[in-house]
Amino acid sequence: MRMTVIGTGYLGATHAACMAELGHEVLGVDVDEAKIASLRGGEVPFYEPGLPEVLTRNLEDGRLGFSTDYAEAAGFANVHFLGVGTPQRKGSFAADLTYVFQVITDLVPLLRGDHVIFGKSTVPVGTAVQLQELADFLAGPGTSVEIAWNPEFLREGFAVKDTITPDRIVVGVRGESRAEEIAREIYATAIATDTPFLVTDLATAELVKVSANAFLATKISFINAVSEICESTGADVVALADAIGHDDRIGRKFLGAGLGFGGGCLPKDIRAFMARAGELGADQALTFLREVDSINMRRRERVVQLSKEVSGGSLLGKRVTVLGAAFKPNSDDVRDSPALSVAGSLSLQGADVSVYDPEAMDNARRIFPTLNYAESTVQALADADLVVLATEWKEFRELDPVRVAELVSTPIIIDGRNVLDVRLWKAAGWTIKALGRNL
Ligand code: UDX
């Protein structure tokens, strides 16, 4: 099938390359010329394991192309995916829908014949109906444009796998629709292996995405709230999470207590969800998400407080190594990163902070140019008075405490992600502190 993917950020670039990998003819479209030039040259402008190989293979096989020209997109296919960003609006909790509406405004007048646009961006409930109204208004004579919603659930770091073999496919359609049949053809490979394929109305499909992210955020903040109680009582949150996680109804995933969630999705999505509930006069339904957000933010403060405590009450002039800058491992994304937030706060409290991350250094430097960035883990650790593990990269999880003790000035570490083997670190002479554990 021929299709375009409009917006070639994280979501769009991955979707375009993976649809080509499934055998479709794909044109990726973006207004950002630098991004398109890079993708055309086989370069993924962000770190995502496995994606460069999929991109190059499909460029070479001629199934994948990129363009900045909407007229070319209009002529290329009758099926379009919309994957532009919906960031948090400045000065508000709500989502900024400028880019989504701009695509419809620019693309629809150029379309001829019958087209289906599948929205993939995360949007407030009710957006698809508004986009349909706009598309109906802008469509030329004899042209029909159907808006359907096909939310995307990919995780950074697993984007290729999540796109090619998703857990489920959700397609929101309006009453009389051609979109379902088209979606079944596009996702035939996944459907053939019994991937659940759910057809809903537009509002439900929009809500599925934000509800899924709100649930995940709530699960993380739940364990982090319990973590606070563990800190006040001497209980151990990791043992507790293991124990409750054995219950199938609860499950151990997303009960990783620590510095909490960040990134380009969870924080902004729960805020946009609250903002939308307010607009709908249903704000009470989601006030608990405000608490989810606050619990999450408090964990960052707790690490800074703990750093101060183990440094004798003041961070002034202390050399602190922060291991990690990305919001999670296997990503170079620093948007709302707990690691960078902690590094920034420590620095503002007078610490001499040295940061190292295997992939996120350039992005981190761009948004936080005042921190010191080391060239390697070893360089970052040199003469440290305190080490804070903030992003659980494999490289950090597997550090040898004996070797690291030889590099630092004082062997004190705060495990902000609860991933280190406490016994091993203690045996090597370290003072180890962690969130939700009395060590
Ligand atoms: C998330 C959703 O998982 C995905 O379905 C959606 O499409 C986009 O948003 P992503 O932002 O890539 O994906 O990250 P995810 O793996 O969900 O992790 C989010 C944050 O939660 C990270 O900062 C991570 O460190 C944190 N986290 C995760 C915890 O603090 N504890 C956990 O147990 C799990």
Side-chain angles (χ1 to χ4, degrees):
M1 187 168 255
R2 285 171 78 85
M3 62 190 69
T4 75
V5 179
I6 300 172
T8 57
Y10 220 109
L11 189 165
T14 307
H15 193 69
C18 291
M19 289 300 107
E21 181 79 356
L22 289 172
H24 301 303
E25 302 275 323
V26 187
L27 182 70
V29 183
D30 204 295
V31 291
D32 184 334
E33 298 200 357
K35 219 179 252 177
I36 290 297
S38 144
L39 288 163
R40 259 194 198 139
E43 292 274 329
V44 180
F46 48 86
Y47 177 75
E48 181 60 42
L51 187 56
E53 292 80 350
V54 176
L55 176 74
T56 327
R57 185 160 56 237
N58 287 284
L59 282 169
E60 280 168 6
D61 289 354
R63 276 194 300 273
L64 180 61
F66 290 95
S67 171
T68 52
D69 185 359
Y70 274 52
E72 190 183 344
F76 183 84
N78 289 53
V79 173
H80 311 273
F81 283 96
L82 195 166
V84 292
T86 52
Q88 188 173 333
R89 205 186 293 162
K90 285 203 170 43
S92 154
F93 266 15
D96 180 349
L97 297 175
T98 314
Y99 307 116
V100 175
F101 278 88
Q102 197 62 49
V103 170
I104 301 298
T105 308
D106 293 343
L107 179 70
V108 171
L110 304 171
L111 301 177
R112 298 287 173 268
D114 298 323
H115 291 253
V116 174
I117 300 177
F118 289 97
K120 287 199 94 52
S121 310
T122 303
V123 292
V125 58
T127 304
V129 168
Q130 288 174 22
L131 294 175
Q132 182 68 66
E133 283 167 9
L134 179 63
D136 289 343
F137 174 73
L138 293 170
T143 294
S144 79
V145 178
E146 179 184 346
I147 308 283
W149 220 258
N150 172 218
E152 179 57 60
F153 305 103
L154 68 79
R155 294 161 299 168
E156 296 187 12
F158 301 92
V160 172
K161 178 184 165 289
D162 286 352
T163 308
I164 292 187
T165 53
D167 292 341
R168 76 293 208 186
I169 297 159
V170 177
V171 185
V173 298
R174 57 180 179 161
E176 295 201 351
S177 162
R178 297 183 303 122
E180 178 182 345
E181 199 191 318
I182 293 170
R184 283 189 185 278
E185 199 177 327
I186 294 170
Y187 296 117
T189 313
I191 294 171
T193 55
D194 291 334
T195 305
F197 183 87
L198 297 108
V199 180
T200 69
D201 55 81
L202 289 170
T204 305
E206 291 167 321
L207 276 173
V208 165
K209 171 66 198 219
V210 277
S211 307
N213 277 356
F215 188 86
L216 294 172
T218 304
K219 200 169 176 191
I220 298 168
S221 277
F222 171 81
I223 200 65
N224 281 334
V226 174
S227 183
E228 292 185 354
I229 305 296
C230 288
E231 280 158 19
S232 316
T233 55
D236 187 301
V237 77
V238 175
L240 183 147
D242 288 343
I244 63 172
H246 281 300
D247 184 331
D248 273 353
R249 295 169 303 176
I250 297 172
R252 182 63 172 84
K253 289 181 185 163
F254 273 68
L255 285 183
L259 261 172
F261 60 83
C265 290
L266 262 43
K268 75 144 171 95
D269 286 354
I270 59 168
R271 291 171 196 156
F273 200 11
M274 282 186 268
R276 185 67 184 130
E279 287 165 11
L280 294 166
D283 43 353
Q284 268 188 330
L286 298 182
T287 44
F288 75 95
L289 287 178
R290 197 175 275 274
E291 205 48 48
V292 165
D293 209 350
S294 308
I295 294 164
N296 192 52
M297 289 304 178
R298 282 209 296 273
R299 293 288 77 191
R300 304 176 184 189
E301 287 164 26
R302 175 68 187 139
V303 167
V304 176
Q305 187 197 2
L306 210 51
S307 302
K308 219 184 218 170
E309 280 169 29
V310 296
S311 303
S314 167
L315 286 161
L316 264 184
K318 296 284 177 191
R319 222 184 112 68
V320 184
T321 301
V322 176
L323 296 178
F327 83 103
K328 68 171 191 180
N330 302 316
S331 168
D332 65 355
D333 196 340
V334 296
R335 285 176 291 173
D336 204 351
S337 165
L340 263 194
S341 156
V342 165
S345 302
L346 292 171
S347 163
L348 289 171
Q349 303 233 359
D352 172 10
V353 179
S354 175
V355 180
Y356 178 70
D357 188 286
E359 292 294 338
M361 300 298 272
D362 291 343
N363 288 341
R365 230 180 249 122
R366 218 167 291 139
I367 70 160
F368 242 121
T370 49
L371 299 172
N372 299 320
Y373 292 96
E375 299 286 320
S376 65
T377 307
V378 169
Q379 198 190 83
L381 288 165
D383 303 322
D385 296 311
L386 166 66
V387 181
V388 177
L389 192 160
T391 313
E392 69 276 32
W393 285 94
K394 188 162 178 277
E395 171 176 346
F396 303 149
R397 289 197 314 260
E398 292 178 352
L399 280 171
D400 175 357
V402 178
R403 262 209 70 213
V404 179
E406 289 161 6
L407 300 171
V408 298
S409 160
T410 323
I412 307 178
I413 188 163
I414 297 176
D415 180 0
R417 293 291 180 181
N418 278 314
V419 288
L420 298 178
D421 185 331
V422 174
R423 261 181 310 174
L424 224 59
W425 283 76
K426 279 193 167 170
W430 285 79
T431 299
I432 177 164
K433 298 280 175 195
L435 298 176
R437 310 182 82 179
N438 192 17
L439 302 175

